[in-house]
Amino acid sequence: MGQDETVRAGRYAAVATSLTGAVHEEIGASLAVVDADLARRFPGDPGTRQPVHTVYVPADAFAADIIRSWGDQALAALDEHAPDAASFAAVLGLDDRLAGPVHARVRAKLEREPVEDLRIDFEDGYGPRPDAEEDGAAVRAARLVAEAYETGTAAPYMGIRMKCMEAAVRDRGIRTLDIFLTGLMDAGGLPGGLVLTLPKVTYAEQVTAMVRLCEEFEKARGLEPGRIGFEIQIETTQSILGPDGRATVARMIDAAEGRATGLHYGTFDYSASCGVSAAYQSMDHPAADHAKAVMQVAAAGTGVRLSDGSTNVLPVGPGSQVHDAWRLHHGLVRRSLARAYYQGWDMHPGHLPTRYAAVYAFYREGLEQAAARLTAYVNRAGGDVMDEPATAKALSGYLLRGLDCGALDADEVTGLTGLARTDLDGLAGRPVAS
């Protein structure tokens, strides 16, 4: 009897069976390729923090103090249009018990870390420029990003959105990417929070081309293979459904060869490509819901994060107009969160108060129930809900996202669940730090 059969016999000695160890081995061998493919294609959550939003600023408007400036403008908007917890809660329809904690945390966030993810835009927000001008802007962007990380004033995630891989702008996009990455390397190396965005992706072959660029840059600068990742922006109908009837976005994730970090939905470009009239182009349009549902299924289990788009209704003007825009934005963010889109775009400093209010209320209002359900699962206690391991994974992920963005505190989560951060990581299927 072989060693494996001896172990197997020892484990199951009290139970009669009919199949031999050879059958087990044969089945295992027949599925070895599938096992490897599952592990490669569906590695699960990467275990890193996901920002709750991405802020886009045109490359020519990017400045060393841009993050602090956005925070100060957001605080000024709060002071002018909702100076206390009660007035802010009244505008947004927040529950009374959430009013104080949410308002306090929003203000603290705007003072401490107003922007979680900043993208310097060389695409639609920047437009076509003379080559010398864009060259200079790319050099400047790299210098300012490097300085921000060196001085501790950077957002947790920062990077650029280059021009796309379409023929008319391809060379310009590649050159800008090269200049930006080269500038970072010359300033000391690529920062850990670097994020690159590839827009208007239509064919998987364009993703393959981006992979090739990353590989060549890594070789040129002696970087570890796979060091550079990128987001794929979904802005065209062809990126959702190809001419062959297949979900193109799934092919794009595969074509990225593990480098894709996110799928970002482009509200207005995608809506326009569907023929939606400008007045009805929104994150909650049925065409948007369809596209994002396809993206969600394609990305599930791959470790690729999802981001919703933005609203173009800005909270500016008289108080009533600001309040209307705040209510719209708050509602859209809450809608996205309920649909498991935990990130979105913010296009104006005035969107920051309602971004964080929606996010913080979402995590705080469900804290006690999530903690109780998770505790019951861990302790195998009774109750009116019998949760599965998959639900425990979702509950842990919910608490971890709340911790990451500042909606929840570690002490209160541990106090309610008895679980440390490492325990939550394990239950959520995230890598557990040693």
Side-chain angles (χ1 to χ4, degrees), residues 20-388:
T20 66
V23 174
H24 288 260
E25 293 170 3
E26 180 184 347
I27 295 297
S30 71
L31 292 175
V33 173
V34 171
D35 293 341
D37 201 50
L38 281 170
R40 179 179 67 84
R41 294 176 187 270
F42 303 102
D45 193 282
T48 55
R49 171 185 179 183
Q50 180 180 11
V52 302
H53 71 168
T54 301
V55 163
Y56 273 79
V57 295
D60 56 335
F62 179 54
D65 64 346
I66 191 74
I67 294 173
R68 186 64 264 150
S69 174
W70 271 58
D72 290 343
Q73 291 179 69
L75 285 166
L78 262 183
D79 290 338
E80 180 177 358
H81 300 293
D84 53 46
S87 58
F88 195 42
V91 171
L92 303 181
L94 295 178
D95 187 278
D96 289 344
R97 66 187 179 88
L98 291 174
V102 167
H103 184 264
R105 285 173 185 270
V106 168
R107 289 199 65 92
K109 180 73 168 180
L110 295 176
E111 291 167 355
R112 181 186 75 255
E113 187 185 74
V115 174
E116 292 196 358
D117 183 24
L118 180 70
R119 204 70 71 252
I120 306 159
D121 192 11
F122 284 89
E123 204 231 355
D124 284 349
Y126 184 70
R129 306 288 180 103
D131 283 336
E133 183 177 347
E134 184 158 340
D135 282 356
V139 169
R140 178 172 168 274
R143 175 175 56 81
L144 291 178
V145 168
E147 290 175 356
Y149 277 103
E150 184 178 352
T151 60
T153 58
Y157 299 93
M158 296 181 75
I160 66 168
R161 177 170 71 168
M162 59 191 279
K163 289 179 170 64
C164 69
M165 287 292 180
E166 294 176 358
V169 294
R170 182 185 304 138
D171 287 343
R172 180 63 262 180
I174 293 172
R175 180 173 174 82
T176 297
L177 177 66
D178 188 5
I179 292 171
F180 179 71
L181 293 178
T182 298
L184 290 176
M185 290 297 299
D186 291 345
L190 303 184
L194 175 68
V195 187
L196 306 174
T197 304
L198 178 65
K200 292 185 175 60
V201 184
T202 305
Y203 286 85
E205 289 80 2
Q206 293 168 326
V207 175
T208 298
M210 185 67 173
V211 170
R212 176 70 187 278
L213 286 178
C214 295
E215 289 174 342
E216 292 300 321
F217 190 89
E218 289 163 354
K219 291 176 185 176
R221 300 303 300 242
L223 294 171
E224 179 184 357
R227 168 64 182 85
I228 304 173
F230 56 91
E231 301 166 336
I232 301 170
Q233 198 166 345
I234 304 300
E235 300 177 273
T236 67
T237 55
Q238 296 93 335
S239 63
I240 295 296
L241 188 67
D244 56 2
R246 294 192 293 175
T248 313
V249 64
R251 296 181 59 219
M252 290 175 179
I253 293 174
D254 196 46
E257 299 179 18
R259 293 180 185 267
T261 58
L263 298 177
H264 284 230
Y265 176 70
T267 304
F268 303 103
D269 281 282
Y270 188 86
S271 297
S273 72
C274 287
V276 179
S277 298
Y280 299 98
Q281 293 176 0
S282 174
M283 294 158 58
D284 59 357
H285 191 279
D289 285 342
H290 170 261
K292 289 182 285 188
V294 175
M295 292 165 60
Q296 191 169 48
V297 174
T302 65
V304 177
R305 263 74 179 268
L306 300 169
S307 175
D308 210 333
S310 62
T311 175
N312 59 358
V313 179
L314 304 183
V316 297
S320 60
Q321 190 169 312
V322 170
H323 288 174
D324 286 343
W326 271 355
R327 279 188 286 269
L328 173 65
H329 184 242
H330 181 266
L332 289 171
V333 174
R334 279 303 304 255
R335 186 178 189 273
S336 296
L337 290 168
R339 285 159 174 76
Y341 268 74
Y342 301 113
Q343 185 176 351
W345 294 4
D346 290 325
M347 309 303 290
H348 187 274
H351 284 144
L352 299 186
T354 40
R355 167 68 61 182
Y356 291 121
V359 170
Y360 289 174
F362 178 76
Y363 291 113
R364 294 207 64 79
E365 70 188 14
L367 168 61
E368 292 183 3
Q369 184 185 49
R373 288 178 65 180
L374 191 59
T375 302
Y377 172 83
V378 171
N379 296 330
R380 296 298 192 272
D384 58 357
V385 177
M386 183 65 71
D387 285 320
E388 300 281 345

